[in-house]
């Protein structure tokens, strides 16, 4: 909360200000940072004074339009799209097309913080029942292989806790259920097992935050298959999945996922499985995590059915839908009391194309009309300019 306070105050200040001015200030800061880059000189960023001039001078881009610049960065050239050095590329498939490399800079990381910190501060301010117990922040498995581009730029995402700064990172490790190191487990079954074991060791868990709601129910579906093995590990403080060979079980890396013996927890888990076999989903989770207070996940469109199924496991927990967060940047964040996630107005310069297909009229954030549908264009601190998010 201490880490997030400054960002929350800035977000509140922006929310109470004129949106057009807030967005224009964001745009001019981005252009000033990039004015001496290859892209900035080509488009004469130094002389642009407002959004209208920017939109008249810079065309709307898809990824392929910016790929020649990104290829130069990947080859090791600096000052191409951003004044800030590119720290890494995040690889994303998005919702259409082949994998893309998205440049990450210190400025883009700050922009993510400007959305993440207000959301977290708001969340813990409005849901007091979240205090006093740990949280499950989904740590997605990722390749353990360290990759770089031909020019030596790393490919791969930073650890989630890196977004809070060096002094807060060890504190966050104390309140998260699954250690970040689990992301490096290359065996998907082992990753699921370790995740379940860590979850089951935390009867005081208060919060589950994930993107796709089906991930959590997919984890829970493994409880019956691995019941005896998990129960033994809970009782003994070990991590010895029955599906591994003895040599794999003896791997020193698995010791990281050992814990204190929890006498009685294994029997409690077996009793919960019996409830699950009777299709008493709520009874199953109530026995294992009686204080779980809130689940944050996608709940709209294709995720709707999965969210409803997850709710059947936790009927008394509050649910909060996610905002729109892409690898390229934050668009909206959920806030308590708001009818829908709200624009992360400090995190990027936004434009909106009317309609879901074809080229419609382009509006600025303050020009949107309630009830209409738009597609997002972003200008970001990562060097994407008037970028169609698709």
């Amino acid at each position: 909360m201490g880490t997030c306070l400054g960002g929350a105050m800035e977000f509140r200040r922006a929310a109470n200000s004129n949106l057009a001015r807030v967005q224009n200030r964001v745009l001019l800061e981005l252009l000033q940072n990039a004015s001496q880059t290859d892209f900035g000189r080509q488009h004469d960023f130094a002389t642009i004074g407002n959004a209208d001039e920017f939109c008249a001078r810079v065309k709307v881009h898809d990824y392929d339009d910016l790929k020649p610049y990104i290829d130069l960065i990947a080859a090791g050239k600096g000052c191409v799209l951003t004044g800030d050095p590119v720290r890494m590329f995040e690889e994303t498939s998005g919702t259409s097309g082949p994998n893309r490399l998205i440049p990450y800079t210190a400025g883009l990381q700050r922009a993510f913080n400007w959305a993440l910190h207000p959301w977290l501060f708001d969340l813990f301010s409005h849901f007091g029942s979240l205090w006093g117990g740990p949280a499950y922040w989904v740590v997605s498995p990722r390749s353990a292989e360290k990759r770089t581009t031909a020019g030596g730029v790393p490919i791969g995402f930073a650890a989630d806790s890196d977004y809070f700064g060096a002094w807060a990172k060890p504190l966050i490790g104390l309140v998260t259920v699954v250690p970040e190191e689990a992301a490096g487990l290359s065996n998907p079954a082992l990753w699921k097992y370790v995740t379940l074991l860590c979850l089951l060791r935390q009867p005081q868990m208060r919060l589950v935050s994930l993107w796709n709601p089906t991930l959590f129910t997919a984890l829970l579906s493994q409880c019956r298959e691995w019941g005896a093995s998990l129960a033994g590990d809970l009782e003994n403080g070990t991590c010895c999945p029955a599906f591994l060979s003895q040599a794999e079980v003896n791997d020193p890396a698995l010791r990281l996922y050992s814990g204190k013996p929890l006498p009685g927890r294994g029997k409690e888990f077996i009793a919960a499985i019996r409830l699950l076999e009777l299709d008493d989903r709520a009874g199953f989770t109530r026995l294992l995590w009686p204080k779980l207070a809130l689940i944050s996940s996608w709940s709209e469109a294709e995720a709707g059915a999965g969210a409803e199924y997850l709710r059947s496991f936790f009927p008394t927990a509050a649910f909060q839908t996610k905002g729109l967060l892409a690898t390229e940047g934050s668009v909206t964040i959920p806030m308590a009391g708001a009818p829908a996630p709200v624009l992360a107005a400090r995190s990027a310069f936004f434009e909106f194309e009317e309609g879901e297909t074809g080229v419609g009229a382009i509006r600025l954030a303050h020009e949107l009309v309630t009830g209409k549908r738009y597609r997002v264009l972003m200008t970001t601190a990562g060097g994407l300019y008037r970028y169609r998010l698709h």
Side-chain angles (χ1 to χ4, degrees), residues 68-194:
Y69 298 95
I70 292 171
D71 288 343
L72 288 174
I73 300 170
K77 190 175 190 303
C79 221
V80 177
L81 290 170
T82 60
D84 290 343
V86 172
R87 291 179 167 184
M88 70 186 81
F89 285 109
E90 167 66 345
E91 193 170 38
T92 176
S93 59
T95 54
S96 62
N99 284 4
R100 305 187 296 269
L101 293 178
I102 305 301
Y104 265 68
T105 64
L108 185 59
Q109 185 163 320
R110 285 193 298 273
F112 273 108
N113 285 347
W114 289 336
L116 175 68
H117 291 183
W119 168 60
L120 284 174
F121 193 88
D122 180 78
L123 189 69
F124 279 84
S125 296
H126 285 87
F127 295 94
S129 51
L130 297 178
W131 292 78
Y136 174 39
W137 302 94
V138 169
V139 179
S140 300
R142 59 176 180 259
S143 171
E145 176 190 2
K146 295 187 182 299
R147 296 184 297 150
T148 61
T149 66
V153 183
I155 299 174
F157 205 56
D160 292 341
S161 60
D162 288 343
Y163 286 92
F164 292 90
W167 72 268
K169 182 169 180 170
L171 299 179
I172 290 166
L174 296 175
V175 295
T176 52
V177 170
V178 181
E180 286 185 335
E181 289 82 0
L185 293 171
S186 56
N187 180 334
L190 181 57
W191 174 79
K192 287 182 182 179
Y193 187 93
V194 164

Side-chain angles (χ1 to χ4, degrees), residues 23 26-27 30 51 54-55 347-351 364 377-379:
Q23 278 280 279
V26 169
L27 174 63
L30 292 172
F54 173 69
C55 295
S347 295
F349 175 70
F350 295 101
E351 300 170 71
L364 300 182
L377 309 179
M378 299 181 74
T379 295

Side-chain angles (χ1 to χ4, degrees), residues 51-295:
D52 289 339
E53 293 176 9
F54 173 69
C55 295
R57 201 170 297 178
V58 180
K59 71 170 189 173
V60 172
H61 293 102
D62 289 303
Y63 182 81
D64 286 346
D65 300 316
L66 294 172
K67 189 173 182 300
Y69 298 95
I70 292 171
D71 288 343
L72 288 174
I73 300 170
K77 190 175 190 303
C79 221
V80 177
L81 290 170
T82 60
D84 290 343
V86 172
R87 291 179 167 184
M88 70 186 81
F89 285 109
E90 167 66 345
E91 193 170 38
T92 176
S93 59
T95 54
S96 62
N99 284 4
R100 305 187 296 269
L101 293 178
I102 305 301
Y104 265 68
T105 64
L108 185 59
Q109 185 163 320
R110 285 193 298 273
F112 273 108
N113 285 347
W114 289 336
L116 175 68
H117 291 183
W119 168 60
L120 284 174
F121 193 88
D122 180 78
L123 189 69
F124 279 84
S125 296
H126 285 87
F127 295 94
S129 51
L130 297 178
W131 292 78
Y136 174 39
W137 302 94
V138 169
V139 179
S140 300
R142 59 176 180 259
S143 171
E145 176 190 2
K146 295 187 182 299
R147 296 184 297 150
T148 61
T149 66
V153 183
I155 299 174
F157 205 56
D160 292 341
S161 60
D162 288 343
Y163 286 92
F164 292 90
W167 72 268
K169 182 169 180 170
L171 299 179
I172 290 166
L174 296 175
V175 295
T176 52
V177 170
V178 181
E180 286 185 335
E181 289 82 0
L185 293 171
S186 56
N187 180 334
L190 181 57
W191 174 79
K192 287 182 182 179
Y193 187 93
V194 164
T195 299
L196 264 177
L197 182 59
C198 292
L199 288 167
L200 292 167
R201 284 184 179 138
Q202 296 288 350
Q204 298 296 315
M205 184 169 67
R206 309 300 175 94
L207 168 68
V208 170
S209 177
L210 68 164
W211 297 104
N212 195 327
T214 61
L215 172 65
F216 199 72
T217 49
L219 283 171
L220 297 182
S221 70
Q222 296 291 140
C223 285
R224 279 179 280 195
E225 180 182 348
W226 296 332
S229 183
L230 286 165
D233 282 339
L234 288 168
E235 293 285 334
N236 300 319
T238 51
C239 181
C240 303
F243 54 81
L244 294 184
S245 68
Q246 191 59 48
E248 290 172 315
V249 167
N250 292 332
D251 186 341
L254 271 188
R255 292 176 192 158
L256 175 66
Y257 309 107
S258 298
K260 293 189 301 183
L262 300 173
R265 183 62 171 170
K267 296 182 180 66
E268 200 169 49
F269 174 54
I270 295 299
I273 289 177
R274 293 195 190 101
L275 293 175
L276 192 59
E277 289 169 345
L278 296 172
D279 204 30
D280 184 359
R281 301 169 200 158
F284 167 75
T285 57
R286 189 165 52 246
L287 192 56
L288 295 175
W289 302 291
K291 296 188 177 182
L292 191 103
L294 184 137
I295 294 176

Side-chain angles (χ1 to χ4, degrees), residues 346-383:
R346 296 181 65 241
S347 295
F349 175 70
F350 295 101
E351 300 170 71
F352 299 86
E353 234 173 344
E354 289 185 349
E356 295 188 47
T357 59
V359 179
I362 294 178
R363 309 293 184 193
L364 300 182
H366 67 281
E367 298 172 333
L368 300 185
V369 177
T370 301
K372 286 199 173 185
R373 300 179 74 83
Y374 302 89
R375 290 169 294 155
V376 180
L377 309 179
M378 299 181 74
T379 295
T380 75

